[in-house]
Amino acid sequence: MTQTSDIPQRRTLARIGHFVAARRKLVFDYFSAISGAGGRLVFSLAYFVALANTLSIGEFGMFATASAAGVMLSRILAFGFISALYRTATIRRNLIGTFTAGFLLLGAISLPVLAAASYVVYLIFFAGTVPLSVFAAVVFAEALLWRPVEVVLIVNNGLGKFGRAAVLAILATALRAVGAVLFMLAAQRTIGVWSWFYIGANAASLFVAFACFYPRQRLRLRTELYFRRLADSLYVAGAEVLFYLQMEFDKLLVLSIGGPHLAGIYAIVMRLVDLTAIPIRTFSMMLVQRMMRAPELLSRLAVKSGIEGGVFLVSTLALLSLGIVLHFFPNALGKNVAEAAPLVALAVCVPGLRNLVEYQAELLFARGQTAVRAINLGLLAGLKAALLTYVLTTIPDTSNLVLSLNIVFLLLYLASMSLTYSAMRRPAKAI
């Protein structure tokens, strides 16, 4: 009788042990990934402080805007085939060499398209404000040097090697920070000189990434595999361009309408907002991987609302903390940043709402709904353009302009929520 009565207890203990063991790896992976985010945050801050206080505010605004355009344009590289490489690393890792060869092939084919798109963007937003040579150098650094570094990070995260990805993220960001510090010591400290330092820092990151962190597999071309996934990759590329357009369009508009100085002030505020998103992106990345394997994960309303509430709360508290520090110590991040310090706390809701829009876009990617994601991001980009154009042309005061961004991003979040969760009622695409 005693042995029989012990059986349920043993089963319960076994279930608890299995539960703890299963989550131990998840917790370990998360802390490995978040350590990279933490290190990246520290060096990103150092890089930002060094650069923002070396360039003039106007030149910093020009660089930040050109860099934002470069990040957007970099999504054209390989026509979005990075998404296929990520899915392969997550689900069919034995094909990484084959899909890496496809990425290199499509990357080379995409270069004329990337160059043409870059020139069109320059003519629309930067002609007469930023020298063409500087714009070309920044886009080259973002699209052909930094974007491949992100590919190495993406593949390592897909493989579940979060520790290696964390180390690379820290090293790559540290190299950028070193570049900014060396630039501080340069005899000439103009945006033209900085563009060469920027190329050097990103080239060093690229060398370290592929020499030390990319998985070693034989490269094999199998074009039938690539073209079968090309339509989905093009959807992803389009969606990524639209995503970064709606994320960074505010900087482009501020430069076009308000000029370099206002663009510099605005870029400083939004860069501090961006820094609060680094840990949240780590959480989103791991959740997306989980959803690729278990699409039903967010079927319950309580889970969805709990995650979104947590993202918003953490993001808002991070910016509030930074705003309080800058209120009492406005020169903590340097003299140029001090000019924008009083404005930081006014954007209190922007990081949380911005991070939620980004998170919702990733949910559709995880479910394989890439075409719907592209359409949604196009709609959001158009809405953001209309809202920001109205705000920039009707609100001359900078403080009120930053304060109004809370309403702009609230409207964008509500639109994103409606589009995303209505799309998620449809069955997820098989991967």
Side-chain angles (χ1 to χ4, degrees):
M1 286 293 293
T2 306
Q3 290 181 343
T4 305
S5 61
D6 284 345
I7 291 175
Q9 185 177 2
R10 290 175 185 170
R11 287 176 178 169
T12 301
L13 291 173
R15 281 197 295 269
I16 293 172
H18 178 72
F19 179 86
V20 172
R23 269 106 189 125
R24 185 183 300 154
K25 184 178 185 305
L26 181 65
V27 171
F28 176 78
D29 287 345
Y30 180 73
F31 278 104
S32 295
I34 204 70
S35 66
R40 189 174 179 180
L41 178 61
V42 170
F43 286 111
S44 292
L45 184 60
Y47 162 76
F48 164 72
V49 170
L51 188 59
N53 291 289
T54 304
L55 291 172
S56 68
I57 290 180
E59 286 194 317
F60 180 76
M62 288 190 285
F63 167 72
T65 309
S67 177
V71 170
M72 177 187 72
L73 290 163
S74 73
R75 271 51 195 174
I76 297 172
L77 185 67
F79 301 118
F81 198 72
I82 293 168
S83 65
L85 188 54
Y86 179 49
R87 291 185 190 279
T88 300
T90 303
I91 300 168
R92 302 181 66 187
R93 53 190 64 186
N94 59 308
L95 292 176
I96 287 176
T98 301
F99 277 77
T100 301
F103 168 73
L104 294 173
L105 174 65
L106 290 169
I109 295 172
S110 69
L111 290 180
V113 179
L114 175 60
S118 300
Y119 189 59
V120 170
V121 169
Y122 176 79
L123 291 177
I124 295 173
F125 293 104
F126 296 93
T129 306
V130 179
L132 179 58
S133 59
V134 170
F135 180 79
V138 173
V139 172
F140 172 78
E142 294 289 0
L144 300 184
L145 299 176
W146 184 255
R147 184 57 174 160
V149 173
E150 291 181 329
V151 170
V152 181
L153 287 168
I154 287 166
V155 169
N156 276 281
N157 282 325
L159 291 169
K161 296 181 178 180
F162 300 108
R164 286 175 64 82
V167 172
L168 174 58
I170 293 170
L171 283 175
T173 312
L175 286 169
R176 278 184 162 186
V178 169
V181 171
L182 291 175
F183 174 60
M184 290 178 68
L185 305 175
Q188 291 184 312
R189 290 177 282 184
T190 65
I191 189 172
V193 174
W194 164 242
S195 66
W196 288 105
F197 277 88
Y198 194 58
I199 287 174
N202 284 286
S205 299
L206 180 61
F207 175 79
V208 170
F210 276 93
C212 305
F213 292 91
Y214 203 77
R216 296 290 181 264
Q217 280 195 22
R218 184 180 173 185
L219 298 179
R220 281 184 262 182
L221 279 171
R222 293 180 60 186
T223 54
E224 72 278 5
L225 286 180
Y226 314 146
F227 291 109
R228 194 185 308 163
R229 291 164 174 79
L230 189 56
D232 189 67
S233 295
L234 287 170
Y235 285 139
V236 172
E240 289 286 301
V241 170
L242 290 169
F243 173 75
Y244 280 97
L245 177 62
Q246 67 90 12
M247 288 287 284
E248 308 292 355
F249 198 65
D250 44 358
K251 296 186 181 77
L252 300 176
L253 281 178
V254 172
L255 180 65
S256 300
I257 298 172
H261 189 80
L262 180 59
I265 295 292
Y266 187 83
I268 288 171
V269 174
M270 295 310 292
R271 183 57 183 157
L272 293 173
V273 168
D274 287 341
L275 290 174
T276 67
I278 290 176
I280 295 296
R281 288 191 182 115
T282 301
F283 168 77
S284 298
M285 176 268 297
M286 296 190 72
L287 182 63
V288 164
Q289 281 196 19
R290 187 88 183 273
M291 280 192 66
M292 284 181 181
R293 301 183 181 101
E296 74 286 350
L297 182 65
L298 296 183
S299 58
R300 289 186 297 163
L301 179 61
V303 175
K304 286 190 286 193
S305 57
I307 291 173
E308 293 211 356
V311 167
F312 182 79
L313 182 63
V314 171
S315 304
T316 303
L317 288 175
L319 191 75
L320 269 178
S321 302
L322 184 60
I324 290 170
V325 170
L326 291 176
H327 175 75
F328 290 105
F329 306 99
N331 293 308
L333 299 180
K335 63 181 189 307
N336 283 355
V337 180
E339 188 172 340
L343 306 173
V344 173
L346 297 178
V348 60
C349 295
V350 171
L353 296 168
R354 199 166 181 244
N355 291 341
L356 285 172
V357 171
E358 183 174 343
Y359 160 74
Q360 288 170 354
E362 291 305 302
L363 293 184
L364 293 177
F365 173 77
R367 289 168 54 87
Q369 294 176 280
T370 51
V372 175
R373 180 174 181 255
I375 293 169
N376 288 1
L377 289 170
L379 293 172
L380 291 174
L383 177 61
K384 187 175 187 181
L387 291 171
L388 284 172
T389 300
Y390 175 78
V391 165
L392 287 166
T393 54
T394 57
I395 303 178
D397 181 67
T398 307
S399 297
N400 289 332
L401 173 65
V402 174
L403 191 61
S404 70
L405 293 178
N406 294 287
I407 299 173
V408 169
F409 280 92
L410 175 61
L411 294 174
L412 286 171
Y413 164 71
L414 292 174
S416 173
M417 181 177 65
S418 174
L419 292 168
T420 300
Y421 289 117
S422 61
M424 286 179 65
R425 294 195 188 102
R426 305 165 201 164
K429 179 181 175 182
I431 298 170

